[in-house]
């Protein structure tokens, strides 16, 4: 499975959009981009996934570049409860979670 | 559905003792995964099952670790004998499928294991 690169940490003001980037330059044609988050002391939680089209659900939006080498997870109106580690995963058949981005939402 | 259930939530044991962690996956999910999370190594896949059959155990650290899935609603991860370096949070997850398009995994709350 392709590996991903994410910034180790980010801050975001409460109520603003949080944009979390991910690079996955070695992604192959059949691999999807998945995003999970892990709030302190809890199990990871699925957020969203996509192949090549942009996706949106009740939690977030996923923007995948045309060449599929990078993507951005957007939390449109970040709240304090969104403070967590966010993992970008390129999925063939298994998951490699990496170190993720620690997002801190600031009041 | 109550989600993935793990027990115990916390376990403290002494080095050399046997430890058994338990997991009940979401009903109807054909895949069950065991992960371990530590500060040093992050979240690592240990083993996964498909329809109760172990498919890939390449992540199991050594022979002291074993996992079973006797039926579709129950799995165990056993460590015997336990060592202090086994201290970690162990997560169980389940999913409907493993195909790249349908790989949404649902995680349990984890078992925090401390080996003294």
């Amino acid at each position: 499975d392709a590996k991903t690169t994410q910034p180790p940490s980010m801050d975001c003001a409460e109520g603003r959009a949080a944009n979390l980037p991910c690079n996955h330059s070695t992604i192959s044609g059949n691999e999807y981009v998945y995003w999970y988050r892990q709030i302190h002391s809890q199990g990871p939680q699925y957020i969203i996934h996509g192949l090549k089209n942009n996706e949106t659900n009740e939690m977030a939006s996923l923007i995948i570049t045309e060449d599929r080498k990078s993507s951005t997870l957007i939390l449109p109106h970040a709240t304090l409860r969104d403070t967590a580690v966010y993992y970008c995963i390129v999925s063939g058949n298994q998951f490699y979670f990496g170190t993720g981005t620690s997002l801190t939402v600031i009041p | 559905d109550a989600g993935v259930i793990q027990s115990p939530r916390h376990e403290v044991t002494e080095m050399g003792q046997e430890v058994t962690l338990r997991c009940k996956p979401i009903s109807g999910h054909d895949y069950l995964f065991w992960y371990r999370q530590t500060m040093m190594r992050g979240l690592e896949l240990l083993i996964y099952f498909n329809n109760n059959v172990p498919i890939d155990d390449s992540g199991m650290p050594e022979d002291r670790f074993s996992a079973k899935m006797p039926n579709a609603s129950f799995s165990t991860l056993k460590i015997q004998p336990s060592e202090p370096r086994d201290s970690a949070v162990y997560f169980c997850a389940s999913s409907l499928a493993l195909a790249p398009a349908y790989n949404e995994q649902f995680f349990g709350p984890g078992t925090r294991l401390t080996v003294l």
Side-chain angles (χ1 to χ4, degrees):
Chain A
D1 292 340
K3 297 298 188 288
T4 62
T5 303
Q6 299 178 253
S9 64
M10 293 181 62
D11 292 338
C12 177
E14 187 178 17
R16 304 296 294 269
N19 296 280
L20 293 91
C22 179
N23 288 322
H24 31 78
S25 58
T26 61
I27 191 170
S28 62
N30 67 338
E31 291 181 316
Y32 281 66
V33 180
Y34 278 76
W35 283 83
Y36 279 72
R37 74 179 181 183
Q38 186 173 24
I39 297 171
H40 182 61
S41 299
Q42 298 181 21
Q45 176 192 23
Y46 166 82
I47 301 173
I48 198 168
H49 74 283
L51 181 62
K52 56 182 178 180
N53 298 319
N54 298 338
E55 302 287 345
T56 296
N57 63 21
E58 66 278 3
M59 290 182 67
S61 295
L62 173 61
I63 308 298
I64 302 173
T65 58
E66 191 169 346
D67 62 7
R68 303 208 325 121
K69 293 185 177 181
S70 65
S71 61
T72 301
L73 178 75
I74 301 172
L75 308 178
H77 305 286
T79 70
L80 298 179
R81 288 176 293 179
D82 292 324
T83 292
V85 177
Y86 287 77
Y87 296 98
C88 169
I89 303 157
V90 171
S91 173
N93 288 325
Q94 294 188 30
F95 280 172
Y96 171 73
F97 273 82
T99 56
T101 295
S102 177
L103 174 69
T104 301
V105 179
I106 302 169
Chain B
D1 201 315
V4 176
I5 299 172
Q6 291 187 248
S7 65
R9 294 293 309 276
H10 301 273
E11 177 81 29
V12 180
T13 190
E14 293 188 346
M15 182 174 61
Q17 296 298 307
E18 178 180 293
V19 175
T20 299
L21 311 181
R22 297 172 176 79
C23 175
K24 176 179 169 55
I26 293 173
S27 177
H29 282 192
D30 290 335
Y31 289 83
L32 182 139
F33 308 82
W34 282 102
Y35 290 85
R36 177 174 68 176
Q37 186 170 37
T38 62
M39 288 292 293
M40 291 295 294
R41 301 176 66 88
L43 196 61
E44 305 172 281
L45 177 65
L46 299 178
I47 185 172
Y48 77 91
F49 295 81
N50 175 214
N51 291 325
N52 314 336
V53 177
I55 302 301
D56 185 351
D57 64 355
S58 59
M60 296 286 262
E62 49 195 276
D63 292 345
R64 297 184 298 106
F65 285 70
S66 63
K68 295 181 180 180
M69 192 164 186
N71 57 62
S73 60
F74 183 66
S75 176
T76 60
L77 179 66
K78 185 176 294 186
I79 308 172
Q80 166 64 19
S82 59
E83 297 182 3
R85 60 192 167 122
D86 301 330
S87 297
V89 181
Y90 291 81
F91 290 103
C92 176
S94 68
S95 70
L96 278 170
L98 199 60
Y102 306 103
N103 208 344
E104 180 183 348
Q105 296 184 20
F106 294 81
F107 283 76
T111 295
R112 181 173 297 276
L113 173 65
T114 302
V115 183
L116 302 174

